[in-house]
Amino acid sequence: MPNSTDHQETRSRLKAHFEEAKGTTEHGSKWNELWKEGFVPWDKGVPSPALVDLLTERQDLFPSISSRRRRALVPGCGRGYDVLLLSAFGYDAYGLEISSNALAEARKVEKEMAGKGEYEARSGVTAGKITLLAGDFFKDDFLKDVDGDGKFDFFYDYTVSSSHQF
């Protein structure tokens, strides 16, 4: 189990890494560097426990949509564990990544794990479509690759919003 010193060192390393960037336009390449060297302390190898709990225990919080399948977006999806989980719960799940290295990892995980184990479609549910997209969450260029009207019913994020500040 990591201790507070480990967390401080990780935070310091990330802060120094992104301070080298000349503005947010370089953040994509900075994330790519971290993925290339395998420094991904945010990746726990499983879906977020908070998302698992939300989907299994609190379906009452999600409105039903009868005209189409619900769509979910996971910005900064990393290896895509949360995307696969959302698909298993019947969402057309979109994973968005600014890092091409992370996106390559997500494609490997999808190929290896989609529809298996905890990513198997839940009882009474047809698995949703999985779409992995390259793009910057803070721009809307990626929306051209989203089916339908380009809107989402659900966003799930626990890392991307804090990535621009340390």
Side-chain angles (χ1 to χ4, degrees):
M1 180 94 155
N3 61 38
S4 63
T5 303
D6 293 336
H7 290 298
Q8 288 174 324
E9 289 172 9
T10 297
R11 187 177 170 100
S12 294
R13 179 171 178 195
L14 287 169
K15 184 176 181 179
H17 183 76
F18 283 96
E19 282 178 345
E20 297 170 5
K22 296 172 179 65
T24 59
T25 57
E26 292 183 21
H27 276 204
S29 63
K30 299 307 265 179
W31 285 113
N32 235 6
E33 290 170 7
L34 293 172
W35 277 95
K36 184 176 182 178
E37 65 184 75
F39 183 73
V40 291
W42 53 87
D43 186 320
K44 305 300 181 212
V46 296
S48 166
L51 182 60
V52 172
D53 288 348
L54 182 66
L55 292 171
T56 57
E57 305 295 326
R58 294 306 311 261
Q59 278 296 310
D60 61 304
L61 295 175
F62 300 97
S64 63
I65 300 170
S66 60
S67 61
R68 62 171 173 75
R69 185 181 293 275
R70 293 182 291 186
R71 283 191 291 261
L73 174 67
V74 180
C77 70
R79 289 194 172 101
Y81 308 113
D82 296 330
V83 176
L84 297 179
L85 185 69
L86 285 159
S87 170
F89 277 85
Y91 284 85
D92 281 344
Y94 291 80
L96 178 65
E97 250 311 326
I98 196 167
S99 165
S100 59
N101 290 329
L103 205 53
E105 290 292 316
R107 288 188 175 112
K108 287 180 196 173
V109 168
E110 177 188 12
K111 186 176 181 178
E112 181 182 317
M113 301 174 80
K116 300 173 187 163
E118 66 188 315
Y119 305 116
E120 185 176 350
R122 296 311 192 263
S123 179
V125 174
T126 302
K129 181 176 139 187
I130 296 169
T131 305
L132 298 170
L133 303 170
D136 184 339
F137 177 72
F138 298 100
K139 299 178 182 175
D140 63 2
D141 299 356
F142 70 92
L143 291 174
K144 70 184 180 327
D145 297 319
V146 175
D147 291 339
D149 56 10
K151 294 181 181 174
F152 297 94
D153 304 297
F154 183 65
F155 286 78
Y156 185 74
D157 159 55
Y158 70 98
T159 56
V160 89
S161 60
S162 62
S163 68
H164 288 279
Q165 53 186 326
F166 292 98

